[in-house]
Amino acid sequence: GEIPAAKLYEDNYTFAFLDTAPVHKGHTLVITKGHYVDIHDVSEELVMKQVQVVKRLADAVKRATGCDGISIGESNGKAAGQVVPHIHFHIMPRFEGDGLKHWPHTKYQPGELEKFSEDIRAALGK
């Protein structure tokens, strides 16, 4: 409520508004009302409520803008490109030939796929 915003949606947990520096017109941000730095800081229950709002707004943004697709982004930590230390999802309208690229891809070396999958499954249990 400190900065003027074009509010799109609000409930007890979330607030959504147009990004003032959009990738394309209609670029929407969905934030939690309570302060949580990133996805590691918020409860599963609250992030699930936030994602339900993201889904609803993604449908509305697609209908309203007539875009060809929607990209949804959420970064966690400086190394991931998080600039604002408050969990937020971006809903970005996308258009064929808009020039935006996907991130680069790499490949696993022999044995790495199995090692990473084992390590992640083990971390799930902790």
Side-chain angles (χ1 to χ4, degrees):
E2 297 174 15
I3 302 170
K7 179 171 77 168
L8 301 174
Y9 177 88
E10 183 174 15
D11 64 25
N12 291 335
Y13 309 100
T14 57
F15 183 72
F17 54 95
L18 289 177
D19 192 319
T20 57
V23 169
H24 292 294
K25 306 284 189 329
H27 181 160
T28 299
L29 298 175
V30 181
I31 67 170
T32 56
K33 281 189 169 180
H35 178 63
Y36 303 94
V37 173
D38 58 26
I39 202 160
H40 308 292
D41 191 33
V42 68
S43 71
E44 282 187 20
E45 178 184 0
L46 183 53
V47 81
M48 286 172 59
K49 290 178 187 210
Q50 192 176 14
V51 169
Q52 287 174 326
V53 172
V54 168
K55 159 64 170 129
R56 187 171 171 198
L57 279 163
D59 292 344
V61 168
K62 188 169 189 327
R63 284 191 303 273
T65 64
C67 63
D68 300 313
I70 294 280
S71 287
I72 296 172
E74 194 275 321
S75 298
N76 299 279
K78 185 177 177 181
Q82 184 179 17
V83 177
V84 177
H86 187 104
I87 186 169
H88 60 285
F89 286 82
H90 293 259
I91 301 169
M92 297 164 283
R94 297 292 306 276
F95 298 89
E96 292 293 332
D98 64 12
L100 299 177
K101 306 288 183 202
H102 290 284
W103 47 80
H105 297 272
T106 187
K107 295 184 184 232
Y108 287 100
Q109 296 300 313
E112 285 184 324
L113 188 70
E114 296 79 9
K115 165 128 179 47
F116 276 92
S117 64
E118 288 171 13
D119 291 349
I120 293 168
R121 282 193 304 270
L124 275 172
K126 295 180 182 177

